Amino acid sequence: MSNIPETGRTPRVQIRLVIIQVLVFSLLLTLGGRLWYLQIRNGEEYTDEAKNNHVQQVVQPAVRGAILDARGIPLADNETRLVVSASRTELMKIKDDGKGVLTRLAAVLGMKPKDVMDKVRLCDAKTPQPCWNGSPYQPIPVTDEATTQQALQIRERAEDFPGITAEPTAVRRYTAPGKTNTAQVLGYLSPVTDEEITKAKDTDSPFLRSDQVGRSGIERTYDKELRGKAGVTRYEVDNLGRVIGQAAKDEAQPGANLVTSIDARVQAVAEYELNKAMKTARQEFDKNTDENYKADAGAVVVMENKTGRIISMASQPTYDPNSWVGGISAKDYAKLTGKNSNYPLLNRAIQGQAAPGSIFKVISSTAAVNAGYPFDGDYPCPSSYSVGGQVFKNFESKGYGSIDLGRALEVSCDTVFYGLAHREWQKDGGTKPKKQTNDWFYKTAHQFGLGKETGIDLPNEVSGRVPDRQWKQRFWEANKDGWCKQGKKNGSYVEKIAFENCLEGNRMRAGDSVNYSIGQGDTLVTPIQMATIYAAIANGGTLFNPTIGKAVISPDGKSVKEIKPKSHGKLPMDADTREQIDQALAGVTTRGSAAWRFGGWPQDKIPMHAKTGTAEVYGKQTTSWFVSYSPDYTIIMTIAQGGTGSGASGPAVRKIYEAMYGLDEKGGQDLKRALLPAPQKALPKIQPDGSIDAPEIKPYVPKEKEPDQTEQLAGPPARRD
């Protein structure tokens, strides 16, 4: 047994317990200090770092729906291209941030290293284009024009190109079937902007940064239907961009197909004939300016009378919408928007405004009847008409004696309408107007739908102008100061006009009214407005909203949503007046101002109606107008600085009708050659796999007439207005 007493062990145990307590306390103190350091002193820093461990999205773009003509021929679809893309996430893991990889990639693609690096850099307020404005976790396209050989090099040497992919990808394509262009109707795409993303954030169709959206034409109008819904894969990533897991995945949904009323075959004819008419006009000498006509812009519209559907719409000058695919270059953009471009992006069928000239006379005739003048009354048609010391001449100073309104339309007698408008101006009080003026000629124009948009399903339609008393007052108030500074009582013509406008530019003068009655002066219309009016005369009086979209069909063809024709009113005329105007317009082609262009036409089989117009514009050459309708279609053509209506536009319009109805120059009809003898009613069939059994289309090959054959058939011209 030990001789050490029990009390001798107690101090040692106590010392050990104290040491253990000190150690535990020290550990707790250290842990508490560390927690304080992490949560209090550097808490904000670590909170920010933790926020970087979040979910990032990788987008799989939806395949955009096709735009089809009325028979199912693609006007815009998608083609598979080899797209080379770079992943910033992978490149940033490399020591030099991927510069070496991108330099090697540039060598393979035949590009400059700087151009490749610029495309992959991220956009911000200080970084100019080109740069990437999408998600940094999204594969960034470097080129969509890679060759098979280039793609193989990248894939076979994968160790030299980490983060680089070369994959087949769907890219927008404007197909130009039969060498058609249809640019201004179709429009183009470009990347979505931050502002658009913000605006659409809380809607049922939000944008993703990778989206391409329609910028003009039906690509814009029907963008929501065509765009589909992009697929999104959500990845969990840390603050270094490393993927640590997949959160969720939504599959992409392709966009719907849009069937239009455009017939690609008729479109090809219309584009060709408009272009040819402009070239021909440039070879004609303008005796008023001692130079050839410039014919620098034009438009043509083919419309169904009973629905308002657009069969064809062409505008010159034009452009290739494929130039926007993959991003337009600065050089190409300058060509489309520069001062010397003549602005091909404009759709002159809905945005080209000009004085209508004599095609306006159907409105003046209706106004006269509504004001109480009988259509079949006798009205003098002298060679000139004097108002306040100013002489207004008839076209080529020719008089026709006493005629009714129908004959005045046929031969396009200006002085008949001068006299009627002058009398109405006097009834309204002349220079001292009554408090309540009738203003029949102006009121009727508004009732015909002028001065406002037709409602066509294309963006940026313009409204034209009816220069009534209200407009004159607003215009005078806006321009009075400038006129007063410029005006001189005994100065040049322009200075004299400015002087008069300064003093009384808000007054409706007699000269304003008589000039207005024949579609001159400050009146402005668009081709689509006048096409709508003449189609309404043809169909019995209904003003339809022109439409290009005909149906929206799901990718598998199962869901079909037809776009029904809509009306925005009726013509302000009774059935008798419409019938009388209809007969007069038929007379224009048989014994009136267009007879020399329609010799040999089978009027008994396909009744043709027309009106010619030659509008004078101060400082420019005359604008050519020709509007016409058959039982099925209305066709209008206009050429700026192109000459007379029947002279410049008339032959081209006839050619379009001949192609549609399968006619030869002598009026014989071959339905096998006819492109569209009756409007297309059935919709194209889309198969469950998305394929479309579309017919083939060949480029339009015109059958040229023998020289002067039309002149020989028609005999001497009645009037080339």
Side-chain angles (χ1 to χ4, degrees):
M1 291 187 65
S2 173
N3 295 320
I4 302 174
E6 290 294 328
T7 54
R9 293 183 179 178
T10 304
R12 283 194 231 172
V13 173
Q14 290 177 341
I15 291 171
R16 288 174 185 169
L17 290 174
V18 170
I19 293 172
I20 292 172
Q21 289 174 347
V22 170
L23 289 173
V24 171
F25 181 77
S26 299
L27 290 172
L28 290 173
L29 186 63
T30 302
L31 180 60
R34 184 61 177 167
L35 289 173
W36 175 85
Y37 178 83
L38 292 174
Q39 295 185 6
I40 306 301
R41 182 180 176 186
N42 285 5
E44 186 176 348
E45 176 185 343
Y46 286 102
T47 299
D48 291 341
E49 288 189 16
K51 287 180 181 178
N52 289 326
N53 295 337
H54 57 280
V55 175
Q56 288 291 350
Q57 297 183 151
V58 175
V59 178
Q60 296 83 42
V63 176
R64 195 171 178 86
I67 299 174
L68 310 173
D69 91 333
R71 300 190 305 151
I73 297 171
L75 301 174
D77 60 10
N78 306 287
E79 66 177 341
T80 301
R81 294 187 188 177
L82 282 173
V83 177
V84 175
S85 302
S87 169
R88 279 188 58 87
T89 302
E90 295 298 320
L91 293 176
M92 296 306 291
K93 293 178 182 179
I94 305 172
K95 290 183 178 180
D96 63 353
D97 294 334
K99 290 182 180 179
V101 174
L102 295 177
T103 300
R104 290 192 292 273
L105 179 62
V108 171
L109 298 177
M111 299 173 65
K112 296 179 181 178
K114 182 180 182 301
D115 292 340
V116 174
M117 293 177 192
D118 284 351
K119 286 199 170 188
V120 176
R121 65 185 177 177
L122 300 180
C123 291
D124 58 31
K126 298 180 180 179
T127 304
Q129 290 283 352
C131 58
W132 176 247
N133 67 350
S135 167
Y137 297 93
Q138 182 87 8
I140 302 172
V142 176
T143 180
D144 61 5
E145 297 179 345
T147 65
T148 303
Q149 185 62 34
Q150 290 169 338
L152 286 173
Q153 282 184 265
I154 294 168
R155 288 190 169 191
E156 290 173 355
R157 296 162 49 196
E159 68 279 2
D160 292 334
F161 298 102
I164 305 299
T165 57
E167 301 289 345
T169 305
V171 177
R172 200 58 163 173
R173 174 181 66 167
Y174 298 96
T175 59
K179 294 186 177 180
T180 59
N181 183 266
T182 331
Q184 291 87 357
V185 171
L186 294 172
Y188 56 88
L189 307 177
S190 70
V192 66
T193 65
D194 289 339
E195 183 180 355
E196 288 168 330
I197 292 172
T198 302
K199 284 184 178 180
K201 189 175 181 180
D202 297 324
T203 68
D204 61 350
S205 183
F207 289 117
L208 296 173
R209 283 199 173 276
S210 61
D211 281 336
Q212 295 274 316
V213 296
R215 289 297 173 211
S216 69
I218 52 180
E219 288 275 32
R220 176 173 169 181
T221 303
Y222 297 98
D223 180 74
K224 181 179 176 181
E225 292 82 356
L226 290 165
R227 189 170 7 112
K229 186 176 180 181
V232 180
T233 302
R234 297 170 182 84
Y235 291 103
E236 293 179 1
V237 297
D238 62 17
N239 64 319
L240 296 177
R242 294 173 297 197
V243 176
I244 58 178
Q246 181 174 320
K249 183 176 182 179
D250 298 327
E251 295 293 339
Q253 299 176 13
N257 300 297
L258 175 69
V259 177
T260 70
S261 54
I262 297 291
D263 187 295
R265 302 166 302 171
V266 179
Q267 181 72 19
V269 177
E271 288 180 7
Y272 178 91
E273 293 299 340
L274 173 61
N275 189 46
K276 181 186 174 185
M278 293 173 65
K279 288 181 178 178
T280 302
R282 293 184 198 120
Q283 298 172 4
E284 298 294 323
F285 185 73
D286 180 10
K287 62 183 180 181
N288 294 318
T289 60
D290 291 327
E291 60 180 340
N292 284 7
Y293 287 105
K294 293 182 175 65
D296 53 355
V300 61
V301 175
V302 182
M303 176 188 289
E304 287 182 10
N305 293 336
K306 297 177 182 179
T307 62
R309 298 194 190 281
I310 303 299
I311 306 301
S312 171
M313 178 180 285
S315 178
Q316 284 285 352
T318 189
Y319 67 97
D320 180 6
N322 286 299
S323 62
W324 293 87
V325 176
I328 191 168
S329 68
K331 183 178 180 181
D332 286 341
Y333 187 76
K335 287 181 180 179
L336 297 180
T337 59
K339 291 183 179 179
N340 297 324
S341 67
N342 202 14
Y343 308 109
L345 295 178
L346 285 177
N347 183 347
R348 285 171 165 81
I350 66 170
Q351 296 173 303
Q353 301 181 106
S358 293
I359 66 171
F360 186 79
K361 289 174 182 172
V362 294
I363 298 167
S364 295
S365 297
T366 305
V369 172
N370 291 348
Y373 301 92
F375 192 90
D376 55 0
D378 289 329
Y379 304 99
C381 176
S383 61
S384 63
Y385 190 90
S386 297
V387 177
Q390 186 175 358
V391 177
F392 294 84
K393 292 184 178 181
N394 213 353
F395 188 85
E396 296 181 349
S397 299
K398 187 174 182 178
Y400 287 87
S402 184
I403 59 177
D404 62 16
L405 288 179
R407 185 60 178 162
L409 285 172
E410 290 178 1
V411 299
S412 208
C413 177
D414 294 339
T415 50
V416 166
F417 297 98
Y418 290 154
L420 290 169
H422 190 202
R423 283 157 68 178
E424 280 306 298
W425 174 80
Q426 290 172 325
K427 286 183 179 180
D428 283 331
T431 56
K432 297 180 180 179
K434 301 175 181 177
K435 288 185 178 180
Q436 296 294 327
T437 55
N438 288 317
D439 287 331
W440 280 109
F441 282 76
Y442 301 98
K443 181 194 302 182
T444 303
H446 285 295
Q447 292 171 335
F448 267 80
L450 297 183
K452 60 184 178 182
E453 296 86 352
T454 64
I456 189 171
D457 54 347
L458 288 175
N460 303 319
E461 180 189 6
V462 298
S463 61
R465 181 168 69 207
V466 177
D468 53 20
R469 297 179 192 276
Q470 293 75 24
W471 175 83
K472 285 188 71 69
Q473 181 65 30
R474 294 193 303 269
F475 192 68
W476 179 72
E477 291 171 357
N479 293 279
K480 179 183 177 183
D481 293 342
W483 284 331
C484 293
K485 289 180 181 178
Q486 182 186 14
K488 291 182 181 180
K489 186 175 183 179
N490 298 315
S492 65
Y493 174 77
V494 174
E495 290 171 335
K496 288 179 181 178
I497 294 296
F499 180 77
E500 292 179 13
N501 285 335
C502 170
L503 296 178
E504 54 182 23
N506 59 335
R507 291 188 181 183
M508 184 67 72
R509 293 168 289 202
D512 295 325
S513 292
V514 300
N515 226 5
Y516 167 81
S517 71
I518 63 163
Q520 292 283 176
D522 293 312
T523 307
L524 292 176
V525 301
T526 63
I528 196 64
Q529 287 175 324
M530 299 310 295
T532 302
I533 287 170
Y534 276 80
I537 296 173
N539 69 34
T542 301
L543 290 161
F544 282 104
N545 295 15
T547 52
I548 292 172
K550 196 173 183 181
V552 176
I553 303 180
S554 63
D556 59 6
K558 294 181 179 179
S559 173
V560 179
K561 180 182 177 182
E562 290 195 47
I563 301 168
K564 301 291 185 181
K566 294 181 180 179
S567 166
H568 59 266
K570 291 278 189 178
L571 292 178
M573 60 174 71
D574 58 28
D576 289 341
T577 301
R578 193 212 68 84
E579 180 64 26
Q580 290 169 315
I581 290 177
D582 180 76
Q583 292 177 5
L585 296 176
V588 172
T589 62
T590 57
R591 57 182 179 269
S593 59
W596 70 298
R597 288 304 193 190
F598 277 84
W601 183 266
Q603 192 73 7
D604 57 334
K605 296 180 181 178
I606 307 172
M608 181 57 58
H609 307 71
K611 188 70 196 80
T612 57
T614 306
E616 297 178 356
V617 182
Y618 178 75
K620 292 187 176 182
Q621 296 168 311
T622 54
T623 299
S624 168
W625 288 94
F626 194 95
V627 61
S628 58
Y629 61 85
S630 69
D632 306 293
Y633 308 107
T634 291
I635 300 180
I636 187 168
M637 181 177 287
T638 182
I639 301 175
Q641 302 196 94
T644 64
S646 60
S649 301
V653 170
R654 175 169 179 160
K655 279 281 195 178
I656 298 171
Y657 278 118
E658 287 175 348
M660 294 177 73
Y661 285 111
L663 300 174
D664 58 30
E665 293 83 1
K666 296 181 180 180
Q669 187 174 28
D670 180 0
L671 290 176
K672 292 181 180 179
R673 292 177 50 240
L675 300 181
L676 202 64
Q680 174 78 22
K681 293 183 179 179
L683 293 172
K685 182 69 175 176
I686 297 177
Q687 303 299 327
D689 63 356
S691 62
I692 304 166
D693 187 18
E696 293 184 5
I697 177 173
K698 297 179 180 179
Y700 170 59
V701 179
K703 186 178 180 181
E704 299 296 342
K705 293 181 181 179
E706 296 295 325
D708 300 322
Q709 186 174 353
T710 307
E711 295 278 2
Q712 294 168 11
L713 290 169
R719 180 173 186 252
R720 305 187 185 190
D721 177 34

